[in-house]
Short mmCIF file of all heavy atoms in Angstrom, two decimals:
data_model
loop_
_atom_site.label_atom_id
_atom_site.label_comp_id
_atom_site.label_asym_id
_atom_site.label_seq_id
_atom_site.Cartn_x
_atom_site.Cartn_y
_atom_site.Cartn_z
N ARG A 44 62.80 127.02 133.84
CA ARG A 44 61.69 127.22 134.78
C ARG A 44 62.19 127.41 136.20
O ARG A 44 61.72 128.27 136.94
CB ARG A 44 60.71 126.05 134.70
CG ARG A 44 59.93 126.00 133.39
CD ARG A 44 58.85 124.94 133.40
NE ARG A 44 57.82 125.20 134.41
CZ ARG A 44 56.68 124.48 134.50
NH1 ARG A 44 56.47 123.49 133.65
NH2 ARG A 44 55.80 124.76 135.43
N ILE A 45 63.15 126.60 136.60
CA ILE A 45 63.66 126.67 137.97
C ILE A 45 64.43 127.96 138.21
O ILE A 45 64.22 128.66 139.20
CB ILE A 45 64.53 125.43 138.27
CG1 ILE A 45 63.64 124.18 138.33
CG2 ILE A 45 65.30 125.61 139.57
CD1 ILE A 45 64.40 122.87 138.41
N LEU A 46 65.32 128.32 137.28
CA LEU A 46 66.11 129.53 137.45
C LEU A 46 65.23 130.78 137.38
O LEU A 46 65.46 131.75 138.11
CB LEU A 46 67.22 129.60 136.39
CG LEU A 46 68.32 128.54 136.51
CD1 LEU A 46 69.28 128.65 135.33
CD2 LEU A 46 69.07 128.68 137.83
N ALA A 47 64.22 130.75 136.51
CA ALA A 47 63.31 131.90 136.41
C ALA A 47 62.56 132.10 137.70
O ALA A 47 62.35 133.24 138.15
CB ALA A 47 62.35 131.70 135.24
N TYR A 48 62.14 131.02 138.32
CA TYR A 48 61.42 131.13 139.60
C TYR A 48 62.33 131.74 140.66
O TYR A 48 61.93 132.68 141.37
CB TYR A 48 60.94 129.76 140.07
CG TYR A 48 60.36 129.83 141.47
CD1 TYR A 48 59.03 130.17 141.67
CD2 TYR A 48 61.15 129.60 142.60
CE1 TYR A 48 58.49 130.26 142.96
CE2 TYR A 48 60.64 129.71 143.88
CZ TYR A 48 59.30 130.04 144.05
OH TYR A 48 58.79 130.16 145.32
N PHE A 49 63.53 131.21 140.79
CA PHE A 49 64.44 131.72 141.82
C PHE A 49 64.78 133.19 141.58
O PHE A 49 64.81 133.99 142.51
CB PHE A 49 65.72 130.89 141.85
CG PHE A 49 65.59 129.57 142.56
CD1 PHE A 49 66.07 128.40 141.98
CD2 PHE A 49 65.01 129.50 143.81
CE1 PHE A 49 65.97 127.19 142.64
CE2 PHE A 49 64.91 128.28 144.48
CZ PHE A 49 65.38 127.12 143.90
N ALA A 50 65.05 133.54 140.33
CA ALA A 50 65.42 134.92 140.01
C ALA A 50 64.30 135.89 140.35
O ALA A 50 64.54 137.01 140.79
CB ALA A 50 65.78 135.04 138.53
N ALA A 51 63.05 135.46 140.16
CA ALA A 51 61.90 136.32 140.44
C ALA A 51 61.57 136.40 141.91
O ALA A 51 61.14 137.43 142.42
CB ALA A 51 60.68 135.82 139.67
N ASN A 52 61.80 135.29 142.63
CA ASN A 52 61.36 135.22 144.02
C ASN A 52 62.48 135.35 145.05
O ASN A 52 62.20 135.64 146.22
CB ASN A 52 60.62 133.89 144.25
CG ASN A 52 59.29 133.85 143.52
OD1 ASN A 52 58.28 134.33 144.02
ND2 ASN A 52 59.29 133.26 142.32
N GLN A 53 63.72 135.14 144.63
CA GLN A 53 64.84 135.29 145.55
C GLN A 53 65.97 136.06 144.85
O GLN A 53 67.09 135.56 144.71
CB GLN A 53 65.34 133.91 146.00
CG GLN A 53 64.32 133.09 146.76
CD GLN A 53 64.85 131.72 147.15
OE1 GLN A 53 66.04 131.53 147.39
NE2 GLN A 53 63.97 130.74 147.21
N PRO A 54 65.70 137.29 144.41
CA PRO A 54 66.71 138.02 143.65
C PRO A 54 67.94 138.42 144.46
O PRO A 54 69.03 138.56 143.92
CB PRO A 54 65.94 139.28 143.18
CG PRO A 54 64.86 139.45 144.20
CD PRO A 54 64.46 138.06 144.59
N MET A 55 67.77 138.60 145.75
CA MET A 55 68.89 138.96 146.62
C MET A 55 69.18 137.78 147.54
O MET A 55 68.46 137.53 148.50
CB MET A 55 68.54 140.20 147.45
CG MET A 55 68.16 141.41 146.61
SD MET A 55 69.54 142.03 145.58
CE MET A 55 70.64 142.65 146.85
N VAL A 56 70.22 137.05 147.25
CA VAL A 56 70.52 135.85 148.02
C VAL A 56 72.02 135.75 148.24
O VAL A 56 72.82 136.12 147.38
CB VAL A 56 69.99 134.59 147.28
CG1 VAL A 56 70.71 134.38 145.96
CG2 VAL A 56 70.10 133.36 148.16
N THR A 57 72.41 135.28 149.42
CA THR A 57 73.83 135.10 149.72
C THR A 57 73.95 134.07 150.83
O THR A 57 72.95 133.50 151.29
CB THR A 57 74.50 136.43 150.13
OG1 THR A 57 75.92 136.21 150.23
CG2 THR A 57 73.95 136.94 151.46
N THR A 58 75.16 133.84 151.28
CA THR A 58 75.38 132.87 152.34
C THR A 58 74.74 133.32 153.63
O THR A 58 74.61 134.53 153.89
CB THR A 58 76.90 132.66 152.57
OG1 THR A 58 77.10 131.74 153.64
CG2 THR A 58 77.60 133.96 152.89
N GLU A 59 74.35 132.37 154.46
CA GLU A 59 73.79 132.69 155.78
C GLU A 59 74.89 132.80 156.84
O GLU A 59 74.60 133.14 157.99
CB GLU A 59 72.76 131.63 156.17
CG GLU A 59 71.51 131.67 155.29
CD GLU A 59 70.43 130.70 155.74
OE1 GLU A 59 70.78 129.57 156.18
OE2 GLU A 59 69.26 131.05 155.65
N LEU A 60 76.12 132.52 156.46
CA LEU A 60 77.24 132.69 157.37
C LEU A 60 77.48 134.18 157.60
O LEU A 60 77.32 135.00 156.70
CB LEU A 60 78.50 132.04 156.80
CG LEU A 60 78.49 130.52 156.68
CD1 LEU A 60 79.71 130.04 155.91
CD2 LEU A 60 78.45 129.87 158.07
N GLN A 61 77.93 134.53 158.80
CA GLN A 61 78.19 135.92 159.14
C GLN A 61 79.71 136.15 159.19
O GLN A 61 80.44 135.38 159.79
CB GLN A 61 77.55 136.25 160.50
CG GLN A 61 76.03 136.12 160.47
CD GLN A 61 75.40 136.23 161.85
OE1 GLN A 61 76.09 136.44 162.86
NE2 GLN A 61 74.09 136.10 161.92
N PHE A 62 80.15 137.23 158.56
CA PHE A 62 81.59 137.51 158.46
C PHE A 62 81.80 138.97 158.12
O PHE A 62 80.88 139.67 157.67
CB PHE A 62 82.21 136.63 157.37
CG PHE A 62 81.58 136.83 156.01
CD1 PHE A 62 82.11 137.75 155.11
CD2 PHE A 62 80.45 136.13 155.64
CE1 PHE A 62 81.52 137.96 153.87
CE2 PHE A 62 79.85 136.32 154.40
CZ PHE A 62 80.38 137.23 153.51
N GLY A 63 83.02 139.44 158.33
CA GLY A 63 83.32 140.83 158.05
C GLY A 63 84.51 141.04 157.13
O GLY A 63 84.90 142.17 156.85
N SER A 64 85.11 139.96 156.67
CA SER A 64 86.27 140.06 155.79
C SER A 64 86.42 138.75 155.04
O SER A 64 85.76 137.75 155.36
CB SER A 64 87.54 140.33 156.60
OG SER A 64 87.84 139.22 157.43
N ALA A 65 87.30 138.76 154.04
CA ALA A 65 87.55 137.52 153.29
C ALA A 65 88.11 136.44 154.21
O ALA A 65 87.74 135.26 154.10
CB ALA A 65 88.53 137.80 152.14
N PHE A 66 88.99 136.83 155.13
CA PHE A 66 89.55 135.87 156.07
C PHE A 66 88.46 135.26 156.94
O PHE A 66 88.41 134.05 157.16
CB PHE A 66 90.62 136.53 156.95
CG PHE A 66 91.09 135.67 158.07
CD1 PHE A 66 91.94 134.60 157.83
CD2 PHE A 66 90.69 135.90 159.39
CE1 PHE A 66 92.38 133.78 158.87
CE2 PHE A 66 91.12 135.10 160.43
CZ PHE A 66 91.97 134.03 160.16
N GLN A 67 87.58 136.10 157.45
CA GLN A 67 86.51 135.60 158.31
C GLN A 67 85.54 134.71 157.54
O GLN A 67 85.03 133.72 158.08
CB GLN A 67 85.78 136.77 158.96
CG GLN A 67 86.64 137.50 159.98
CD GLN A 67 85.93 138.66 160.66
OE1 GLN A 67 84.74 138.89 160.44
NE2 GLN A 67 86.66 139.40 161.48
N LEU A 68 85.27 135.03 156.28
CA LEU A 68 84.43 134.16 155.45
C LEU A 68 85.12 132.80 155.28
O LEU A 68 84.47 131.75 155.35
CB LEU A 68 84.17 134.79 154.09
CG LEU A 68 83.46 133.90 153.06
CD1 LEU A 68 82.08 133.47 153.55
CD2 LEU A 68 83.35 134.61 151.72
N LEU A 69 86.41 132.82 155.04
CA LEU A 69 87.16 131.58 154.87
C LEU A 69 87.10 130.74 156.14
O LEU A 69 86.86 129.52 156.09
CB LEU A 69 88.61 131.89 154.50
CG LEU A 69 89.56 130.71 154.30
CD1 LEU A 69 89.01 129.72 153.28
CD2 LEU A 69 90.95 131.22 153.87
N VAL A 70 87.29 131.36 157.27
CA VAL A 70 87.23 130.65 158.55
C VAL A 70 85.84 130.06 158.76
O VAL A 70 85.69 128.88 159.12
CB VAL A 70 87.59 131.59 159.72
CG1 VAL A 70 87.27 130.94 161.06
CG2 VAL A 70 89.06 131.98 159.66
N ALA A 71 84.80 130.88 158.55
CA ALA A 71 83.43 130.41 158.76
C ALA A 71 83.09 129.27 157.82
O ALA A 71 82.41 128.30 158.20
CB ALA A 71 82.46 131.57 158.58
N THR A 72 83.56 129.35 156.58
CA THR A 72 83.28 128.29 155.61
C THR A 72 83.97 127.00 156.00
O THR A 72 83.39 125.91 155.88
CB THR A 72 83.72 128.73 154.21
OG1 THR A 72 83.07 129.97 153.87
CG2 THR A 72 83.33 127.69 153.17
N LEU A 73 85.21 127.09 156.45
CA LEU A 73 85.91 125.89 156.91
C LEU A 73 85.20 125.26 158.10
O LEU A 73 85.06 124.04 158.18
CB LEU A 73 87.35 126.24 157.29
CG LEU A 73 88.33 126.46 156.14
CD1 LEU A 73 89.66 126.99 156.67
CD2 LEU A 73 88.55 125.18 155.37
N LEU A 74 84.74 126.09 159.00
CA LEU A 74 84.04 125.58 160.18
C LEU A 74 82.70 124.95 159.83
O LEU A 74 82.22 124.05 160.53
CB LEU A 74 83.82 126.71 161.19
CG LEU A 74 85.05 127.23 161.93
CD1 LEU A 74 84.67 128.43 162.79
CD2 LEU A 74 85.66 126.13 162.80
N SER A 75 82.07 125.41 158.76
CA SER A 75 80.71 124.98 158.43
C SER A 75 80.62 123.57 157.85
O SER A 75 79.52 123.03 157.71
CB SER A 75 80.06 125.96 157.45
OG SER A 75 80.67 125.88 156.17
N ALA A 76 81.76 122.97 157.52
CA ALA A 76 81.73 121.60 156.98
C ALA A 76 81.06 120.65 157.95
O ALA A 76 81.47 120.55 159.11
CB ALA A 76 83.15 121.14 156.67
N GLN A 77 80.00 119.98 157.50
CA GLN A 77 79.24 119.03 158.31
C GLN A 77 78.74 119.65 159.61
O GLN A 77 78.70 119.00 160.66
CB GLN A 77 80.07 117.77 158.59
CG GLN A 77 80.48 117.04 157.31
CD GLN A 77 81.18 115.74 157.58
OE1 GLN A 77 80.70 114.92 158.36
NE2 GLN A 77 82.31 115.52 156.93
N CYS A 78 78.38 120.93 159.53
CA CYS A 78 77.85 121.64 160.69
C CYS A 78 76.89 122.71 160.17
O CYS A 78 77.02 123.18 159.04
CB CYS A 78 78.98 122.29 161.48
SG CYS A 78 78.51 122.82 163.15
N THR A 79 75.91 123.10 160.95
CA THR A 79 74.93 124.07 160.49
C THR A 79 75.48 125.48 160.54
O THR A 79 76.30 125.82 161.40
CB THR A 79 73.65 124.01 161.35
OG1 THR A 79 73.96 124.45 162.68
CG2 THR A 79 73.08 122.59 161.39
N ASP A 80 75.00 126.33 159.64
CA ASP A 80 75.40 127.73 159.66
C ASP A 80 74.96 128.40 160.96
O ASP A 80 75.65 129.29 161.47
CB ASP A 80 74.79 128.47 158.46
CG ASP A 80 75.46 128.10 157.15
OD1 ASP A 80 76.40 127.29 157.17
OD2 ASP A 80 75.05 128.65 156.10
#
């Protein structure tokens, strides 16, 4: 029930962090620990 709801209502979902490369995603993810996106 839960997965069906999400799949129907949020089919396109990803991180709210902003980045332009794998390195930048890694940096942003490290920074996000105990901090808001």
